[in-house]
Amino acid sequence: QVQLVESGGGLVQAGGSLRLSCAASGRTFSSYAMGWFRQAAGKEREFVGAIIWNRSLTFYGDSVKGRFTISGDNAKITVYLQMNSLKPEDTALYYCAALTVNHGDYRLKDAELYDYWGQGTRVTVSS
C-alpha cells in the first residue's frame, strides 16, 4: 500500500510564506509526476501545480504562477510546495498526489488521473 503524507500547513498572514512537504511511504512505486491540488470550502478541487520527474519540468495553475514553486526528490518520492506572497484566497486543504502514467502534459491538471493521494494539510491565510 502506498501512503502520501503532507505536512507544513498552518495559519499565516497575507503576504507570508509556507512550505508544504509530501513524502511517500509503503510499497515501492514508480512516479511519473507529483501534483499538488487544493480545495477550498464550497469549491471544486483546483490544480496547483505538478512536477514531472524525468524532465525536471514544473507546471502551475494560473492562480499561483509566480508565487508558488514545486521541487522535490524523485529518489525519495518527496515533493515540496513553496508558497510565497500568500493571499486569503489561497486558504484551502492542500493535497499531494502521485501520477504513475504519462497521460500528456495537458492532462496534469486532471485530478482523476492521479493514482495515489494524501490526506491533505490545511492552509489558512488571514487578511
Side-chain angles (χ1 to χ4, degrees):
Q1 184 177 359
V2 173
Q3 289 185 322
L4 299 180
V5 179
E6 303 96 336
S7 61
L11 173 64
V12 63
Q13 288 188 331
S17 298
L18 279 176
R19 187 189 194 216
L20 306 184
S21 301
C22 171
S25 63
R27 181 175 59 84
T28 301
F29 70 102
S30 177
S31 171
Y32 170 73
M34 295 288 289
W36 285 97
F37 293 79
R38 68 186 183 185
Q39 188 164 18
K43 295 188 177 181
E44 294 186 353
R45 187 164 39 189
E46 177 187 9
F47 172 71
V48 174
I51 181 168
I52 299 177
W53 295 120
N54 63 4
R55 289 186 283 152
S56 297
L57 285 178
T58 53
F59 298 84
Y60 300 94
D62 289 340
S63 62
V64 306
K65 280 180 183 177
R67 300 188 299 122
F68 290 11
T69 302
I70 295 175
S71 61
D73 184 335
N74 187 22
K76 299 178 181 179
I77 312 184
T78 300
V79 64
Y80 307 100
L81 180 65
Q82 178 67 43
M83 306 185 294
N84 298 328
S85 302
L86 283 162
K87 305 175 182 180
E89 51 264 44
D90 294 318
T91 295
L93 192 59
Y94 283 72
Y95 300 91
C96 71
L99 185 66
T100 61
V101 176
N102 178 8
H103 298 280
D105 295 351
Y106 65 101
R107 301 292 308 271
L108 286 171
K109 66 183 185 306
D110 294 338
E112 64 270 20
L113 296 178
Y114 285 74
D115 302 280
Y116 305 108
W117 288 83
Q119 293 300 308
T121 185
R122 187 166 299 281
V123 172
T124 303
V125 184
S126 63
S127 57

